[in-house]
Amino acid sequence: MNKESFMVFSGTNSRYLAEKICAELNLQLGNLVITHFADGEFEVSYEESIRGRDVFLVQSTFPNSDNLMELLLMIDAAKRASARSINAVIPYFGWARQDRKSKPRVSIGAKLVANLLSVAGIDRLITMDLHADQEQGFFDVPVDHLFASTIMLPYVKNLNLPNLCIATPDVGGSKRASTYAKYLNCPMVLCNKSRKKANEVESMQIIGEVKGMNVILVDDIVDTAGTITKAANLMMENGAASVRAIASHCIMSGPADERVETSALLEMIFTDSIPYRGNCSKVKQITVSGLLAETIRRVMENESISSQYLI
């Protein structure tokens, strides 16, 4: 791999991950400065030449919106600085929960953000565990859609839990849970929930048997942690031996820390696609830097990335 042909840069809040990726690639993180003005506006400047280079811009677009705006300005600046190709590395693709019209007169945020990135000038998107797989079709550029299962499954296997059972906190995650269960050769149960409104679960029921089982709840994101902690408590009430949870993206907003801390969960495992700034003793993060670094290497060497998928 010719390290002179590509460069890696990062936005403000994903620098911790970009530095890990560069360490895996034995590469220096590119020099990019973001200047903030008194009114909240900011400006992006590359402090070294990127002319004719393939640039990889690492930035998750989690709230607040400054993270997305930083990325858009990074793309625009790279295009105007004559980069050969612009590759957006977005471990957590924000706004992805708005993938369709769930009721009349609402926005489809995921499509809007895809349009913004495309118009800004990306040539490729590298992301992980989109909330809905079909969002890959929102882009007219190549999308490398990675799965956190590549690092989560070895973690679960190393726990060596007897009577293992995979569970999903809602029916929408049944496909993901099913692939985990098949790979681990263990049973799966579902939780069926109903909501009064966003981030508020009204009722939940278990579909399946968890008595005496060591349950692993599988999800893509945990926001306020209301659903996953309610599911964990319900599992224990129905006789589960233990309950753990794994999820790709660590949003953990509002009361999430307290809910996880006081729940029946033994531990809550995330990737580091989003920085965790809370103080819950049960939260643990596993880095995806190796997975992303290897994907960047394969893109640069025109190699297939399919062998990186365990399921």
Side-chain angles (χ1 to χ4, degrees), residues 168 189 247:
T168 176
V189 300

Side-chain angles (χ1 to χ4, degrees), residues 4 6 24 64 81 98 100 108 122 128 140 168 175 184-185 241 255-256 262 292 310:
E4 299 299 321
F6 74 98
E24 294 278 352
N64 61 38
Q98 299 179 47
R100 66 193 186 284
I108 303 180
I122 65 168
M128 185 180 73
D140 293 322
T168 176
K175 180 181 176 182
L184 295 166
N185 193 28
T262 58
L292 293 170
L310 291 182

